[in-house]
């Protein structure tokens, strides 16, 4: 039983890594097999085809990311504290799942996604959309469409993740605090000073 779970997990980790690097369409099952260290036929014992594997990865990672955002969400706190929770959740999720957020971004509108995958993604975007809409209502966030506000944060975060992975920078607590503050400043509504 343990060997079976290990092979399945190897396939999942290998597929996530290579899909995130190459994209779903440019990846073949033999490539996934090589990355996972298994035979191509082994993959078909667990996943009927590449689309089934892609949907499994998408649903699993979106669901886990959504759950990490929901866990201990500070609903009654300030917009700034809610943003801190979102940023911290992205850091901790990425630390445990280095390819997941990039994979989600790269494939969120992919042709292979089935209804369950799209529903999972809608749940995630609804959760984040509520934060942005509430922040705009409270006159704390810029009056930009919520997808634009999210793309500012997400795009910058993924680029940060990329340069960490390439070894261009080594993040420490101080750097992460500065990055969080910079991202907050990018979406925060700056109110005019009273004269």
């Amino acid at each position: 039983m343990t060997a079976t779970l290990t092979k399945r997990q190897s396939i999942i980790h290998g597929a996530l890594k290579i899909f995130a690097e190459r994209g779903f369409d440019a990846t073949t099952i033999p490539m996934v097999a090589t990355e996972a260290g298994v035979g191509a036929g082994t993959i078909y014992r667990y996943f009927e085809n590449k689309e089934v594997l892609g949907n499994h990865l998408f649903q699993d990672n979106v669901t886990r990311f959504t759950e990490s955002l929901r866990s201990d969400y500070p609903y009654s706190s300030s917009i700034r504290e809610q943003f801190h929770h979102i940023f911290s959740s992205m850091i901790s999720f990425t630390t445990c799942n280095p390819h997941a957020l990039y994979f989600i971004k790269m494939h969120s509108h992919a042709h292979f996604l089935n209804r369950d995958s799209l529903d999972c993604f809608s749940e995630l975007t609804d959760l984040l959309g509520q934060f942005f809409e509430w922040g705009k209502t409270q006159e704390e966030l810029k009056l930009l469409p919520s997808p634009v506000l999210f793309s500012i944060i997400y795009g910058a975060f993924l680029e940060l993740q990329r340069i960490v992975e390439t070894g261009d920078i080594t993040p420490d607590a101080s750097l992460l605090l500065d990055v969080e503050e910079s991202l907050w400043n990018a979406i925060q509504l700056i109110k005019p000073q009273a004269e």
Side-chain angles (χ1 to χ4, degrees):
M1 183 78 151
T2 305
T4 301
L5 290 175
T6 301
K7 281 186 182 178
R8 187 174 192 276
Q9 284 305 112
S10 294
I11 293 165
I12 288 168
H13 291 301
L16 181 62
K17 181 176 185 287
I18 201 162
F19 284 161
E21 290 173 355
R22 299 180 56 89
F24 180 84
D25 290 330
T27 300
T28 65
I29 287 293
M31 289 175 185
V32 172
T34 300
E35 185 67 37
V38 300
T42 303
I43 294 175
Y44 291 110
R45 280 191 242 151
Y46 299 98
F47 301 99
E48 183 181 340
N49 54 44
K50 189 170 81 164
E51 288 73 19
V52 170
L53 175 57
N55 278 287
H56 171 80
L57 289 172
F58 192 82
Q59 290 169 34
D60 180 57
N61 285 287
V62 169
T63 299
R64 287 188 298 113
F65 182 45
T66 303
E67 287 170 358
S68 75
L69 291 171
R70 279 200 177 119
S71 178
D72 299 321
Y73 192 88
Y75 288 101
S76 58
S77 299
S78 69
I79 298 297
R80 179 64 181 92
E81 288 167 339
Q82 290 177 18
F83 178 77
H84 173 71
H85 174 81
I86 291 169
F87 182 80
S88 297
S89 295
M90 290 171 75
I91 292 288
S92 60
F93 184 74
T94 302
T95 300
C96 298
N97 311 279
H99 303 288
L101 289 184
Y102 194 75
F103 169 77
I104 292 168
K105 179 189 182 298
M106 194 177 198
H107 297 94
S108 60
H109 299 289
H111 64 87
F112 68 86
L113 296 181
N114 62 23
R115 175 49 49 202
D116 289 341
S117 292
L118 295 172
D119 288 346
C120 279
F121 190 65
S122 288
E123 198 173 329
L124 172 61
T125 56
D126 289 350
L127 176 65
L128 292 166
Q130 289 167 12
F131 163 75
F132 290 116
E133 292 306 316
W134 178 244
K136 289 186 280 186
T137 300
Q138 299 302 300
E139 299 182 346
E140 293 283 335
L141 299 180
K142 292 178 179 171
L143 297 176
L144 292 169
S146 294
V148 172
L149 292 172
F150 184 61
S151 70
I152 291 168
I153 296 166
Y154 202 45
F157 184 85
L158 290 176
E159 182 59 18
L160 172 66
Q161 180 188 357
R162 187 193 67 75
I163 60 176
V164 167
E165 284 186 18
T166 59
D168 292 341
I169 61 162
T170 302
D172 58 24
S174 175
L175 176 66
L176 292 177
L177 282 173
D178 288 346
V179 168
E180 179 183 341
E181 192 62 27
S182 296
L183 293 179
W184 170 249
N185 290 337
I187 65 169
Q188 177 187 21
L189 179 64
I190 306 298
K191 296 173 185 170
Q193 295 286 333
E195 292 187 24

